[in-house]
């Protein structure tokens, strides 16, 4: 299993002068006529954090929950060390985790669509089965190759739970084949 992207939202509960940030950090991207936020990129962890004048932020590109949290805290520290008065600690919340995995065998998608509740499989529209899992609340895109993408989790352990649960259901119903 590989975590591809962790999206975190954050707020410092105070306005931030984006023009000042742009002056102090020439590397940031800010085009207010196109988009109201600026993009603050970090090399380590490799992320992009959108900063809005309201003090709200959205961090994308992290490969773990801890990297997303570290990225937001690093951005706030960089702002402070450049002289921007950020009085509050950021309130950070993980919004979405996207992960990819392989079940190690082929999946009979036609039959899986019948067995899995809240699933949709229309191969002429999209080659994967879309499965909306209730617990943990995730959406899994499942392909005949056994590869999958899991999205919607808010904790890394939910990704593992969802994939294990799906694999178990497929196994129980004889929907996996291994070469």
């Amino acid at each position: 299993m590989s975590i591809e992207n962790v999206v975190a939202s954050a707020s410092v509960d105070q306005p931030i002068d984006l023009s000042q940030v742009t002056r102090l950090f020439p590397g940031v991207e800010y085009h207010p006529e196109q988009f109201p936020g600026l993009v603050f990129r970090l090399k380590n962890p490799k992320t992009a954090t959108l900063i809005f004048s309201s003090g709200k932020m959205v961090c994308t590109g992290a490969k773990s929950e801890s990297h997303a949290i570290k990225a937001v805290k690093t951005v706030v520290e960089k702002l402070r060390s450049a002289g921007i008065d950020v009085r509050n600690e950021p309130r950070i919340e993980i919004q979405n985790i996207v992960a990819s995995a392989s079940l190690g065998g082929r999946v009979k998608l036609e039959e899986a669509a019948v067995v899995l509740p809240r699933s949709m499989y229309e191969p002429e529209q999209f080659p994967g089965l879309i499965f909306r899992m209730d617990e943990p609340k995730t959406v899994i895109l499942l392909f005949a190759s056994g590869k999958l993408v899991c999205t919607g989790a808010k904790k890394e352990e939910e990704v593992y739970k969802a994939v294990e649960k799906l694999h178990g259901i497929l196994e129980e119903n004889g929907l996996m084949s291994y070469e």
Side-chain angles (χ1 to χ4, degrees):
M1 179 133 28
S2 167
I3 292 177
E4 305 298 337
N5 186 20
V6 177
V7 178
S9 64
S11 180
V12 290
D13 298 316
Q14 70 179 70
I16 294 176
D17 180 349
L18 300 184
S19 300
Q20 183 188 14
V21 176
T22 307
R23 283 192 303 276
L24 294 168
F25 297 92
V28 302
E29 295 166 39
Y30 185 43
H31 308 286
E33 64 287 345
Q34 291 170 6
F35 185 72
L38 68 74
V39 183
F40 197 115
R41 295 183 193 282
L42 291 179
K43 283 194 172 55
N44 190 21
K46 192 172 188 296
T47 54
T49 300
L50 302 175
I51 304 175
F52 298 92
S53 59
S54 63
K56 288 187 166 45
M57 302 178 190
V58 177
C59 174
T60 64
K63 299 293 185 192
S64 69
E65 290 175 67
S66 60
H67 281 169
I69 292 164
K70 180 182 177 196
V72 171
K73 288 182 174 178
T74 300
V75 167
V76 169
E77 281 311 309
K78 284 182 178 282
L79 295 176
R80 284 179 179 147
S81 62
I84 295 170
D85 180 28
V86 181
R87 293 178 297 283
N88 305 316
E89 288 308 311
R91 285 184 297 107
I92 305 166
E93 202 177 312
I94 303 299
Q95 296 297 332
N96 185 23
I97 298 175
V98 179
S100 61
S102 176
L103 299 175
R106 298 195 60 77
V107 181
K108 299 170 190 162
L109 292 182
E110 293 276 344
E111 296 166 50
V114 176
V115 170
L116 295 170
R118 296 166 313 285
S119 67
M120 194 172 82
Y121 180 53
E122 294 177 25
E124 49 292 326
Q125 299 286 316
F126 181 70
L129 177 145
I130 301 165
F131 175 45
R132 295 178 191 286
M133 188 177 283
D134 269 353
E135 189 50 46
K137 192 167 172 24
T138 54
V139 175
I140 297 175
L141 307 178
L142 179 62
F143 300 91
S145 63
K147 291 193 176 0
L148 62 81
V149 174
C150 177
T151 184
K154 295 200 186 266
K155 295 186 175 327
E156 289 173 30
E157 69 231 31
E158 290 175 357
V159 175
Y160 293 99
K161 252 188 217 155
V163 172
E164 281 175 29
K165 185 175 178 178
L166 174 63
H167 193 230
I169 295 168
L170 296 173
E171 281 286 334
E172 284 166 26
N173 290 281
L175 301 173
M176 294 288 307
S177 64
Y178 305 93
E179 274 88 60

